[in-house]
Amino acid sequence: MATSWGAAFFVLVASCVCSTVFHRDQQTWFEGVFLSSMCPVNVSASTLYGIMFDAGSTGTRIHVYTFVQKIPGQLPFLEGEIFDYVKPGLSAFVDQPKQGAESVQELLEVAKDSIPRSHWKRTPVVLKATAGLRLLPEEKAQALLFEVKEIFKKSPFLVPDDSVSIMDGSYEGILAWVTVNFLTGQLHSHSQETVGTLDLGGASTQITFLPQFEKTLEQTPRDYLTSFEMFNSTYKLYTHSYLGFGLKAARLATLGALETEGIDGHTFRSACLPRWLEAEWIFGGVKYQYGGNQEAGAVGFEPCYAEVLRVVQGKLHQPDEVQRSSFYAFSYYYDRAVDTDMIDYEKGGVLKVEDFERKAREVCDNLENFTSGSPFLCMDLSYITALLKDGFGFAGSTILQLTKKVNNIETGWALGATFHLLQSLGISH
């Protein structure tokens, strides 16, 4: 891990923060965007913008960050974020790369509307793809990225040479940890008191924390540790990305579909699904037929948990220290907690690991009462429970802070990556 950008990133200070989230299913999504929600109000030469695309397995997201260079020669201040997304993700267009690139073009219009025309040519645009494209065959992933790059070249924005790429999974975890601990103020005091981060995407999952015990460092595989410096302090992070252990990839593994790649006419069945269910699901450009287990007594939490346990048991490293650490959890951890009313959609909340197990039991043992939600709800909650307890080794009493935003800024790796982008191009000086 290079250390140059690490030190630079943390000088960034959030001043006035504004954030606008749009939803593409609203035909009038653009109304009112550039009134009081525009930040900053007075655009000048000292205002900088950065456009970061997060191309995930389930959707493509755009983050348009506004920075202000308040003092010449010093790093800029974060002024605000505009966020939007489209579904499905690029990987769904595995055999239609031009169509996939068109979804990116749609989001580029948000950036054009958000950034003054006078700043277009000096505003860099970058897309970083994550696990969804990592799982695709190399030639198909590159075909998608090529078409996106062509879209970028036609845009009025600054297009760096490496503007479109697949990001290594370990950097997702590192940058998410950086963002959360920066926004929560944990890094401003030069101390080693930080929070860990748990990110659960569709195709991969990441765990990152700062070990406090020498024993953890001694017992951890070397490629799970990354050292870097910031604020004149050296941090050695435990971080790892598990490809194939995201929520949707885990569904396929639980169903046994990973080995057969969606054989035509074959229905994958699970005790985690309602007995009456017969449906189809498309993930990664492949169509799967799936349904409930029609044998008597073969549904509910216990048989479901036995299925998901096979996906994670013995396959993830378990550092003992996680049982005594504080963690922020987001992405699908957050979404499934919201779906089952365990936390508030806007405010998030605090849960224990055992709360996921309790809710999984409630849902799985009463499947007929949850037919209005996702048919995968029982499977997803059971998998999250197994991932936390039997995968990572968390105690049931471990407390998790479920959050989508910190100080009104989206959690995840995009903020740190954008600031690093501005620094590497020399735009922020």
Side-chain angles (χ1 to χ4, degrees), residues 57-311:
S57 60
T58 58
T60 301
R61 308 161 191 89
I62 184 174
H63 301 261
V64 181
Y65 294 105
T66 305
F67 303 92
V68 174
Q69 187 85 53
K70 293 191 174 182
I71 303 175
Q74 293 190 12
L75 298 177
F77 288 69
L78 174 62
E79 194 77 2
E81 173 195 37
I82 290 177
F83 168 75
D84 195 8
Y85 63 89
V86 293
K87 292 184 177 181
L90 284 179
S91 57
F93 301 94
V94 58
D95 294 316
Q96 302 165 305
K98 288 186 180 294
Q99 233 178 297
E102 288 173 5
S103 67
V104 173
Q105 175 67 62
E106 186 178 354
L107 289 176
L108 267 179
E109 296 304 312
V110 174
K112 289 171 68 175
D113 290 341
S114 308
I115 301 170
R117 185 181 296 267
S118 60
H119 284 62
W120 284 357
K121 290 184 178 180
R122 57 188 293 230
T123 298
V125 57
V126 163
L127 178 142
K128 292 187 180 296
T130 55
L133 262 66
R134 287 187 215 120
L135 288 172
L136 295 182
E138 175 70 16
E139 66 277 8
K140 291 184 179 290
Q142 291 304 319
L144 280 164
L145 296 181
F146 174 82
E147 294 298 338
V148 172
K149 184 68 175 286
E150 292 301 300
I151 292 291
F152 279 2
K153 288 179 179 178
K154 296 174 184 177
S155 79
F157 301 111
L158 175 63
V159 183
D161 292 337
D162 58 347
S163 61
V164 179
S165 63
I166 298 177
M167 185 167 64
D168 184 89
S170 61
Y171 283 88
E172 279 190 77
I174 293 167
L175 290 170
W177 183 90
V178 162
T179 301
V180 168
N181 281 281
F182 169 73
L183 292 175
T184 56
Q186 304 293 113
L187 296 172
H188 297 294
S189 62
H190 299 253
S191 72
Q192 299 279 310
E193 295 181 6
T194 59
V195 295
T197 55
L198 294 167
D199 193 352
L200 180 59
S204 67
T205 187
Q206 291 81 35
I207 177 173
T208 307
F209 68 96
L210 183 69
Q212 297 294 309
F213 303 108
E214 191 63 32
K215 181 181 178 181
T216 303
L217 299 176
E218 293 173 354
Q219 297 179 350
T220 297
R222 182 171 298 181
D223 60 349
Y224 284 52
L225 299 174
T226 297
S227 294
F228 62 97
E229 293 183 6
M230 57 190 175
F231 284 150
N232 297 318
S233 297
T234 299
Y235 294 85
K236 179 170 279 190
L237 287 182
Y238 176 108
T239 184
H240 193 72
S241 178
Y242 291 93
L243 184 61
F245 288 84
L247 192 70
K248 294 194 173 183
R251 291 176 183 173
L252 297 183
T254 301
L255 291 168
L258 286 177
E259 291 76 22
T260 56
E261 297 184 357
I263 296 175
D264 289 342
H266 182 80
T267 299
F268 299 96
R269 299 194 179 279
S270 170
C272 303
L273 299 169
R275 196 188 307 276
W276 49 263
L277 182 68
E278 298 290 336
E280 65 178 32
W281 176 48
I282 298 176
F283 179 63
V286 180
K287 183 183 295 184
Y288 301 90
Q289 304 290 332
Y290 68 96
N293 195 331
Q294 297 172 346
E295 297 178 14
V299 295
F301 176 76
E302 294 298 340
C304 175
Y305 200 78
E307 289 184 13
V308 299
L309 193 58
R310 291 195 293 268
V311 178

Side-chain angles (χ1 to χ4, degrees), residues 40-49 66-72 76 116 118-119 122-123 426-429:
V41 176
N42 298 315
V43 176
S44 67
S46 64
T47 303
L48 312 170
Y49 298 91
T66 305
F67 303 92
V68 174
Q69 187 85 53
K70 293 191 174 182
I71 303 175
S118 60
H119 284 62
R122 57 188 293 230
T123 298
I427 293 175
S428 60
H429 291 290

